Amino acid sequence: MLHRKIYQLCCDGREVWIFLRDQQRWIERARILDIEGDLVTLRYETEEEEENCSWEEMVRLESIGAVTQKLASVPKGNVEPAVSDDCPEAEQIPNNRFPDANPE
């Protein structure tokens, strides 16, 4: 099951966070480049002492303990989402989100 999911993530080309059980560490914002047998090739970047480093690493499928991916992000604070005039009316966010319960 994990092999199929990793293959799907490889085809999608999305960023993933991978936990390596044997090293007890997370690889953040990695892309799965290839799967060959039980070897998974990952590419990711790190920032160390004002230096950006690109890494390509091969890990065994059995050492992968968890794979997560970001589904969405929302800005913090009281930010009103932008509504485009080109957007169909059915998909627009109404201006009055909390109508009065007792209109009089």
Side-chain angles (χ1 to χ4, degrees), residues 6-92:
I6 289 177
Y7 177 76
Q8 180 183 9
L9 292 168
C10 178
C11 292
D12 291 347
R14 296 182 64 184
E15 287 185 338
V16 293
W17 283 249
I18 296 179
F19 181 72
L20 300 178
R21 282 189 292 214
D22 55 348
Q23 300 176 27
Q24 293 293 303
R25 70 177 174 111
W26 282 94
I27 297 177
E28 300 178 350
R29 302 183 70 161
R31 295 207 186 271
I32 301 171
L33 300 180
D34 189 33
I35 303 170
E36 191 172 322
D38 70 336
L39 290 177
V40 179
T41 306
L42 308 170
R43 179 174 291 155
Y44 59 97
E45 293 183 0
T46 60
E47 189 174 321
E48 299 172 7
E49 299 178 14
E50 301 178 15
E51 189 174 83
N52 289 335
C53 301
S54 292
W55 300 90
E56 194 167 296
E57 190 169 337
M58 296 174 73
V59 298
R60 295 209 175 272
L61 190 62
E62 63 197 30
S63 70
I64 297 175
V67 178
T68 62
Q69 61 183 337
K70 185 186 290 187
L71 298 178
S73 59
V74 178
K76 289 184 178 182
N78 192 11
V79 177
E80 191 69 31
V83 177
S84 172
D85 292 335
D86 298 333
C87 182
E89 188 175 323
E91 295 178 11
Q92 289 184 8

